[in-house]
Every structure is written in C-alpha cells, then in structure tokens.
C-alpha cells in the first residue's frame, strides 16, 4: 500500500509536467488506469482471501483453530479495507488526471486555432504588402 502511495505521488508529479506536453499526458493517463486496474485486482484478491478465511473459520471445530482463523480473518478484513481506501484514492486521482488531460487537450486545440488564425492574418498582411509595393512601383513610374 505504501508503495502504491509513493507511486501515486510520483504519477501526480508527472501529471503536472504532462499539462505542458499533451502527448506525455496521454501515456501517463494510461499508466494511471493500469495502476487502478492493478489496485482493483488486489482488492478482489483480498476479498477472495476474506471469503476463504471465512470458509476455514466455519469449518474449524476446535476452539483454538477458530480463534486463530478469526484473527486471520480480522487481519484480512483490515487489509481489504486498506486496499479499498487505496482503490478509492487511485480512482480519485485517475479522475483528476483525466480532467487535467482533457484541459490540456482543450488548451492545445485553442493554441492550434490561434496559430491558424495568425497564419491567415500573416497571409493577408503579406498580400497587402505586395499590393502596396505594386502600387508604389506604379506611383514611381507615374512620377518619373
């Protein structure tokens, strides 16, 4: 769980950098999704372990065995609760990454649109400059 927390912190730092580079953000978002799927798998495994321990507890006839299994069950339930909390945290971060990626894509599109508009304006300015040059040349010819 601590390793997952450290990994989530690392991914959060990478996401901040990804806002500046949209291509990297998509790759990191996929990595976050894989981590979320990994955490979900671990939660399922924890639930399966809890079910197995419950079955062992029901089948145990000796009081000592039942106490031992009960302790294991409580530990497994605690682990499952911790995994569930980690999964919820990872899901929240995945949503945050998704939102930031969407914002980065939107910003990128706005920049592309802005560049396109500036290119059109530059083209018009060049055409106007050519027209003015031609007019100036005609004026010089008329004067001379």
């Amino acid at each position: 769980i601590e390793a997952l927390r450290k990994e989530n912190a690392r991914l959060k730092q990478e996401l901040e950098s990804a806002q500046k580079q949209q291509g990297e953000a998509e790759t990191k978002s996929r990595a976050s999704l894989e981590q979320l799927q990994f955490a979900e798998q671990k939660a399922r495994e924890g639930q399966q372990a809890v079910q197995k321990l419950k079955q062992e507890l029901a089948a145990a006839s000796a009081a000592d065995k039942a106490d031992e299994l009960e302790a294991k069950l409580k530990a497994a339930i605690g682990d499952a609760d911790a995994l569930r909390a980690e999964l919820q945290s990872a899901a929240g971060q995945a949503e945050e990454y998704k939102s930031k990626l969407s914002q980065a894509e939107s910003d990128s599109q706005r920049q592309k649109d802005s560049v396109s508009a500036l290119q059109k304006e530059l083209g018009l300015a060049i055409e106007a400059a050519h027209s003015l040059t031609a007019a100036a040349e005609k004026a010089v010819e008329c004067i001379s």
Side-chain angles (χ1 to χ4, degrees), residues 12-117:
K12 189 171 184 178
Q13 289 175 348
E14 289 177 5
L15 178 64
E16 292 171 2
S17 171
Q19 288 175 333
K20 296 177 185 173
Q21 300 178 5
Q22 180 181 357
E24 290 179 16
E26 292 171 353
T27 301
K28 290 173 185 157
S29 178
R30 277 189 233 102
S32 176
L33 178 59
E34 289 172 4
Q35 182 184 17
L36 179 60
Q37 290 169 342
F38 176 76
E40 288 173 337
Q41 177 63 30
K42 288 298 179 185
R44 284 191 294 275
E45 289 173 5
Q47 290 172 347
Q48 290 170 351
V50 167
Q51 290 302 320
K52 183 179 178 185
L53 289 173
K54 284 181 180 179
Q55 291 169 356
E56 289 178 9
L57 182 60
S61 59
D64 290 342
K65 183 68 176 173
D67 289 344
E68 179 185 328
L69 290 175
E70 185 178 2
K72 286 181 182 179
L73 176 62
K74 287 179 181 178
I77 289 171
D79 290 347
D81 287 342
L83 282 172
R84 186 180 310 114
E86 188 63 30
L87 178 60
Q88 289 172 342
S89 174
Q93 285 190 353
E95 286 297 322
E96 181 181 338
Y97 295 160
K98 181 179 176 182
S99 173
K100 288 181 180 179
L101 175 59
S102 177
Q103 182 63 39
E105 289 171 345
S106 176
D107 291 348
S108 176
Q109 186 59 46
R110 273 189 249 121
Q111 289 174 353
K112 286 178 186 177
D113 293 346
S114 199
V115 166
S116 178

